[in-house]
């Protein structure tokens, strides 16, 4: 399994942050990701692993997650993400192709009013 970044992420993500996410991904692959909080985030195709959440300046809920291609086909990620306490969001990750078993980082943005949540890591960030 490999962590692939979309061009925009590669340009904007600081090297120290990328190293941190690679470390989290390695821990995930080795079943060593600790204190993973299950917020009920699901995808219609593939798998989402929520890592961090925050509220942006507009009050929208942002969830940074790993998106895993769990299919047996190469795909351009296109899926619907759903939280139990919010609306569904349709996502297409442009300019990115994931082979089976590959994953990427992505931010899912929920704009509808939501229940309260705590900003911060949903996984141990040591």
């Amino acid at each position: 399994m490999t962590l692939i970044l979309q061009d925009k992420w590669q340009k904007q993500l600081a090297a120290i942050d990328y190293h941190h996410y690679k470390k989290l991904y390695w821990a995930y692959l080795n079943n060593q990701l600790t204190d993973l909080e299950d917020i009920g985030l699901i995808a219609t195709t593939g798998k989402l692993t929520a890592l961090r959440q925050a509220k942006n300046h507009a009050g929208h809920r942002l969830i940074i997650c790993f998106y895993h291609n769990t299919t047996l086909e190469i795909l351009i990620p296109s899926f619907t993400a759903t939280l139990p306490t919010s609306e569904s969001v349709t996502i297409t990750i442009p300019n990115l192709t994931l082979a089976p078993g590959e994953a990427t980082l992505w931010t899912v943005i929920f704009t509808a009013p939501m229940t309260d949540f705590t900003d911060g890591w949903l996984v141990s960030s040591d």
Side-chain angles (χ1 to χ4, degrees), residues 52-96:
R52 186 179 176 120
Q53 63 184 351
K55 192 177 290 186
N56 70 6
H57 65 282
H60 303 148
R61 186 176 186 174
L62 312 176
I63 303 172
I64 297 174
C65 53
F66 291 134
Y67 173 76
H68 310 268
N69 179 0
T70 58
T71 73
L72 298 176
E73 301 176 10
I74 294 172
L75 58 81
I76 295 171
S78 184
F79 56 93
T80 300
T82 306
L83 273 176
T85 58
S86 190
E87 90 280 19
S88 296
V89 178
T90 301
I91 297 167
T92 298
I93 302 176
N95 306 315
L96 182 75

Side-chain angles (χ1 to χ4, degrees), residues 2 5 8 12 15 31 39 56-57 65 72 75 86 109 113 124:
T2 305
L5 290 184
K8 186 176 181 181
Q12 294 181 345
N31 295 315
I39 59 171
N56 70 6
H57 65 282
C65 53
L72 298 176
L75 58 81
S86 190
I109 303 171
S124 175

Side-chain angles (χ1 to χ4, degrees), residues 12-22 105:
Q12 294 181 345
L13 191 61
I16 193 165
D17 293 334
Y18 180 55
H19 176 73
H20 184 73
Y21 283 113
K22 283 188 350 186
L105 278 169

Side-chain angles (χ1 to χ4, degrees), residues 14 19 25-26 35 45 55-56 72 74 77 90 107 113 118 121:
H19 176 73
Y25 187 66
W26 182 87
D35 302 325
T45 303
K55 192 177 290 186
N56 70 6
L72 298 176
I74 294 172
T90 301
T107 303
T118 303
W121 289 97

